[in-house]
């Protein structure tokens, strides 16, 4: 009963504060990016925004694992909640530029901010042209000492289970010689499931060891995809047991 009363209030307060804050952050990064698309102020602003979502939503974040932040990666993560986006920004101390579906680039204020900082727009209906476009954008991202963030499931899971990974992130990694950085998130589905109120709680993010791809070819792509999915799935199962214990 207590949760039934708290969750709607928590959701209302968080949204009432953070939606205007999102508009402010978007406007801020647009201005910063006009001066420099690689300014550290962009990352600081995004992370402060992410921390705001966690604090107001009553959600704690535990980060495990380390890696070399001086390199560029293709970061791949499971995806169960909007909170995953903020968790990835906070847990991965490198400038992240997401592959984002074109629908997100239609949202006022957010869309120009995403373009200003170099988020990569994808159009699944134009796969051939998009392949070349994504590789061009990937080279731009790497040239700015940034990393590419991909949710290989393609969208948020609706039942909490990890769905089949698509090969796109792994094609980008192999074709551009970028190591895969596997990231596993547990607890976000319970904290803020799709289509439900915000519950808050505990989220754990575990960063795995980078997987080098310089010796791999296109024929290795599907095996690489399976390997990373199995790693993320088994890690999520272990973390879920810990969170429920």
């Amino acid at each position: 009963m207590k949760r039934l009363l708290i969750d709607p209030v928590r959701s209302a307060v968080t949204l009432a504060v953070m939606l205007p804050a999102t508009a402010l952050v978007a406007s801020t990064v647009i201005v910063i990016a006009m001066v420099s698309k690689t300014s550290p102020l962009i990352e600081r602003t995004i992370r402060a925004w992410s921390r705001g979502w966690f604090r107001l939503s009553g959600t704690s974040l535990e980060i495990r694992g380390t890696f070399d932040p001086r390199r560029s990666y293709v970061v791949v993560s499971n995806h169960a909640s909007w909170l995953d986006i903020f968790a990835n920004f906070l847990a991965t101390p490198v400038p992240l530029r997401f592959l984002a579906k074109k629908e997100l680039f239609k949202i006022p204020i957010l869309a120009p901010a995403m373009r200003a900082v170099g988020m990569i727009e994808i159009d699944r209906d134009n796969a051939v042209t998009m392949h070349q476009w994504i590789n061009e954008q990937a080279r731009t991202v790497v040239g700015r000492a940034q990393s590419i963030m991909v949710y290989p499931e393609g969208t948020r899971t609706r039942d909490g289970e990890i769905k089949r990974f698509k090969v796109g992130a792994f094609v980008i990694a192999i074709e551009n010689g970028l190591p895969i950085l596997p990231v596993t998130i547990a607890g976000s589905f319970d904290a803020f499931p799709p289509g439900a109120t915000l519950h808050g709680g505990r989220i754990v993010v575990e960063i795995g060891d980078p997987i080098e791809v310089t010796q791999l070819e296109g024929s290795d792509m599907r095996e690489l995809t399976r390997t990373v999915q199995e790693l993320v799935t088994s890690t999520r199962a272990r973390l879920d047991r810990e969170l429920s214990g």
Side-chain angles (χ1 to χ4, degrees):
M1 178 62 69
K2 184 177 180 181
R3 183 167 179 171
L4 290 175
L5 295 174
I6 291 175
D7 289 351
V9 173
R10 175 181 285 132
S11 295
V13 171
T14 301
L15 293 175
V17 174
M18 292 310 300
L19 289 182
T22 298
L24 177 61
V25 166
S27 300
T28 301
V29 299
I30 289 172
V31 173
I32 297 170
M34 291 173 65
V35 178
S36 172
K37 290 185 179 293
T38 59
S39 171
L41 287 175
I42 293 176
E43 314 313 320
R44 291 174 191 166
T45 302
I46 291 173
R47 287 177 185 142
W49 170 66
S50 299
R51 284 191 292 271
W53 279 99
F54 272 86
R55 287 172 181 167
L56 277 174
S57 66
T59 307
S60 66
L61 178 65
E62 180 182 347
I63 303 166
R64 301 176 183 176
T66 60
F67 64 99
D68 185 354
R70 296 168 297 181
R71 301 183 67 187
S72 290
Y73 303 88
V74 174
V75 183
V76 298
S77 171
N78 59 303
H79 193 22
S81 167
W82 281 113
L83 292 174
D84 296 335
I85 297 170
F86 314 123
N88 285 127
F89 276 129
L90 292 172
T92 317
V94 293
L96 293 180
R97 296 300 177 261
F98 282 68
L99 255 67
K101 54 189 178 182
K102 64 179 182 179
E103 289 78 9
L104 293 177
F105 287 84
K106 297 177 182 179
I107 301 174
I109 302 179
L110 183 62
M114 292 172 67
R115 291 191 176 96
V117 301
M119 300 298 179
I120 302 173
E121 182 177 0
I122 57 173
D123 182 356
R124 297 189 182 98
D125 298 328
N126 193 3
V128 176
T129 304
M130 190 52 49
H131 179 86
Q132 180 180 352
W133 160 255
I134 290 174
N135 273 335
E136 290 174 358
Q137 295 303 302
R139 287 190 287 271
T140 299
V141 168
V142 173
R144 294 173 178 163
Q146 299 166 341
S147 291
I148 300 167
M149 177 75 224
V150 185
Y151 293 121
E153 294 165 275
T155 188
R156 290 172 295 161
T157 175
R158 296 292 166 169
D159 60 6
E161 299 298 320
I162 295 177
K163 305 306 179 186
R164 183 177 64 84
F165 281 13
K166 296 177 173 61
V167 300
F170 307 95
V171 173
I172 295 170
I174 291 175
E175 292 187 352
N176 293 277
L178 295 171
I180 294 286
L181 186 67
V183 175
T184 306
I185 302 176
S188 63
F189 185 82
D190 291 333
F192 193 12
T197 56
L198 188 55
H199 306 314
R202 180 186 174 199
I203 292 177
V204 178
V205 178
E206 184 163 307
I207 301 169
D209 294 331
I211 300 171
E212 301 294 340
V213 302
T214 51
Q215 302 300 317
L216 301 184
E217 301 176 348
S219 58
D220 301 306
M221 174 187 61
R222 295 192 181 279
E223 180 61 29
L224 176 62
T225 304
R226 282 193 295 270
T227 297
V228 176
Q229 170 145 20
E230 289 171 1
L231 172 62
V232 171
T233 301
S234 62
T235 303
R236 226 291 290 275
R238 171 171 53 78
L239 294 176
D240 282 347
R241 289 193 298 270
E242 178 182 329
L243 289 172
S244 63

